[in-house]
Amino acid sequence: MQAYSSAATPTRTERDREYEAVAKITHRLRAEADRTPVDFPALAEALHDNKKLWQIFATDVSDAANPLPQDLKARIFYLAEFTHQHTSEVLARRGDVAPLLDINTAVMRGLRGGAA
């Protein structure tokens, strides 16, 4: 019976993997930001991981072979730049995590076709 169970498992798409990566990091970021008192080293680690994810997105949309429409690639690249800059503000304790969570949540909605 187990031989058939793997065939019944749905195939994960690239979009599904992107959603899962953003969701996992967003969950960690939110959990660390909501902790009272804030465990700043843990928050910094979550911020660093979020920044790395956005760097991957920026690199991906910079590739000429990326099939996304140019306008969408430009918007993603802008969000990556904003995320990089705003993360520095949060780490310097001059900014709030909320805009980063909002961006990630919007991206998750987009990856789920607006349903998330």
Side-chain angles (χ1 to χ4, degrees):
M1 191 68 150
Q2 281 185 325
Y4 295 104
S5 64
S6 64
T9 304
T11 303
R12 288 181 28 207
T13 65
E14 183 67 28
R15 197 173 184 136
D16 292 333
R17 287 188 291 277
E18 289 172 347
Y19 179 90
E20 289 170 14
V22 175
K24 181 178 177 182
I25 288 174
T26 302
H27 176 74
R28 279 186 49 226
L29 199 54
R30 180 170 281 124
E32 294 305 333
D34 288 348
R35 189 182 298 223
T36 305
V38 172
D39 177 355
F40 199 76
L43 176 61
E45 184 179 332
L47 286 163
H48 177 71
D49 289 346
N50 188 59
K51 190 171 155 182
K52 283 192 322 189
L53 176 69
W54 278 96
Q55 183 60 48
I56 291 167
F57 288 158
T59 300
D60 188 50
V61 297
S62 297
D63 185 347
N66 185 302
L68 291 175
Q70 193 62 36
D71 183 55
L72 180 56
K73 290 194 295 188
R75 285 186 273 156
I76 292 169
F77 191 84
Y78 169 79
L79 289 173
E81 286 295 309
F82 175 85
T83 298
H84 178 79
Q85 292 172 1
H86 194 74
T87 297
S88 295
E89 292 295 310
V90 176
L91 289 171
R93 300 176 191 222
R94 292 187 306 254
D96 187 12
V97 174
L100 301 173
L101 293 170
D102 291 344
I103 290 168
N104 285 11
T105 301
V107 167
M108 288 167 33
R109 264 195 307 274
L111 289 168
R112 285 290 187 233

